[in-house]
Amino acid sequence: MSMSRRTLLTSLSATALALSVSACSSDDGDSGGGTKIRFGYIADYNGASLLAIADDQGLWKKHGLSASYKTFVNGPIQIQALGSGDLDYGYIGPGALWLPASGKARVVAIDTLTYADRVIAKPGITSIAGLKGKKVGVPEGTSGEMILQLALRDAGMTMDDIKKVAMDAPTIVSAFSSGQIDGAGINYPLIDTIKQKVPDLVEVASTKDIGGSFPTAFVTGGKKGPAEAKVVKVLQEANDWRAAHPEESVKLTAALLKLPEDKVKADASHVEMLTTAELVAKTKDGTVGEWLDGMSDFFVSTGQLKKAPAATSFYAGDVYTKAAA
């Protein structure tokens, strides 16, 4: 494995699972006339900001589309919905990218780089080693599990050294807050919610400390999605508007999610945005492919993939670059 790929392995982490801790629910209807697109998202800045902007700026209508939205608590559930035909497009973090790599979906656009994920522990535990033999909550198959795996590896430990308790992100919030678990693989802004009840919790591992790049992505089903080039164009135009208007994007996202602006702003502080031109350049020079190759190698090491596929087999980089032309 090349040094660049090794660096990518240590760069894996997780996307924010949700600002809201609600279960899946339908959102507010349609964004205009034209070809109808059903879009899933996680209720955080990464997952919702481009959709909020697309609505506000009339981008769906501009490209002859309309969109309805549905919230989810994680990426794997969205990919299940894509597979069952209940969604056309969705949003996932790096922790769920093993599913596109296994052929369950296709990445049509990289969204952001995120640095929001942590392994947290109850007061008195000051390191990953301190979680040995302890109950640690983790949302399986997601970024929360990935940051935990990476942190354990850095400490010379494995999942066998802890008592893993599989649970979804909202359950982790309540279980940690009530003292039912000793630690968790989780992200901001959910950690802020936990801190309201456990203000002296300890962050024993962080994506900021691990370093690297942690891409989030938009996906469609295994085959070409409806009006795919147009959808990608909407995402690109919304992306560039977001990069040029970060404060306004927070306001629009807060309105869509029905959350206080300060919470959304705090969430956005963990995000690195790239312009469409930057993402096109990184697609053409192989950088995006290297990110995805590194992830696939990691998923092989965890047993989530049997073999690392070529990034081009699940990232529609040609569609992305053509849409930006």
Side-chain angles (χ1 to χ4, degrees):
M1 181 185 301
S2 67
M3 287 301 294
S4 62
R5 190 169 287 191
R6 288 183 184 276
T7 300
L8 287 167
L9 291 181
T10 60
S11 77
L12 292 180
S13 162
T15 184
L17 285 175
L19 275 169
S20 163
V21 295
S22 63
C24 303
S25 62
S26 293
D27 263 344
D28 352 66
D30 232 316
S31 62
T35 302
K36 294 183 178 180
I37 302 298
R38 299 165 300 170
F39 219 117
Y41 71 100
I42 294 170
D44 61 12
Y45 183 77
N46 281 318
S49 55
L50 295 195
L51 303 184
I53 291 165
D55 280 353
D56 181 74
Q57 295 296 302
L59 299 180
W60 297 114
K61 184 176 181 180
K62 174 182 175 182
H63 292 283
L65 305 171
S66 65
S68 60
Y69 307 145
K70 187 174 183 180
T71 56
F72 292 81
V73 296
N74 62 43
I77 297 175
Q78 290 180 73
I79 290 180
Q80 288 179 14
L82 289 171
S84 65
D86 294 326
L87 277 185
D88 299 313
Y89 294 89
Y91 160 85
I92 63 173
L97 278 166
W98 64 279
L99 289 162
S102 65
K104 298 292 193 301
R106 292 169 61 252
V107 173
V108 296
I110 299 299
D111 183 18
T112 66
L113 302 177
T114 182
Y115 302 90
D117 301 281
R118 308 288 187 270
V119 177
I120 61 172
K122 68 181 183 181
I125 297 176
T126 59
S127 67
I128 287 288
L131 288 173
K132 187 171 183 177
K134 304 293 186 181
K135 294 180 180 179
V136 181
V138 58
E140 290 186 313
T142 71
S143 317
E145 183 174 33
M146 199 163 290
I147 180 61
L148 179 59
Q149 289 170 325
L150 288 169
L152 289 169
R153 178 176 294 184
D154 283 355
M157 299 167 64
T158 70
M159 286 288 192
D160 292 336
D161 292 310
I162 63 171
K163 295 179 180 177
K164 186 179 81 168
V165 183
M167 52 181 66
D168 62 24
T171 305
I172 286 176
V173 172
S174 58
F176 190 97
S177 299
S178 62
Q180 297 177 52
I181 54 177
D182 304 295
I186 197 70
N187 60 277
Y188 282 97
L190 294 179
I191 295 172
D192 282 329
T193 301
I194 297 172
K195 282 182 176 180
Q196 293 175 11
K197 291 190 176 181
V198 191
D200 49 351
L201 65 80
V202 182
E203 295 182 13
V204 295
S206 165
T207 51
K208 290 184 177 180
D209 295 334
I210 290 173
S213 301
F214 315 111
T216 64
F218 293 101
V219 294
T220 189
K223 297 180 179 180
K224 187 174 181 179
E228 187 168 288
K230 291 183 178 181
V231 170
V232 171
K233 188 65 175 179
V234 168
L235 294 173
Q236 290 175 341
E237 292 184 5
N239 179 55
D240 286 338
W241 194 95
R242 178 177 64 184
H245 306 86
E247 293 184 6
E248 293 94 329
S249 74
V250 167
K251 293 180 180 180
L252 293 176
T253 306
L256 174 64
L257 299 179
K258 299 178 176 61
L259 289 169
E261 287 182 21
D262 60 342
K263 288 190 175 183
V264 178
K265 184 177 181 179
D267 182 24
S269 70
H270 298 289
V271 171
E272 179 182 339
M273 290 177 280
L274 298 93
T275 65
T276 297
E278 289 172 326
L279 287 170
V280 167
K282 291 182 183 298
T283 294
K284 289 181 176 179
D285 71 14
T287 299
V288 173
E290 288 181 358
W291 293 343
L292 299 176
D293 286 343
M295 291 180 191
S296 293
D297 287 342
F298 180 81
F299 297 138
V300 170
S301 75
T302 63
Q304 289 164 290
L305 289 177
K306 292 182 179 180
K307 183 179 179 181
T312 52
S313 69
F314 63 96
Y315 171 48
D318 56 338
V319 176
Y320 191 85
T321 56
K322 287 178 182 178

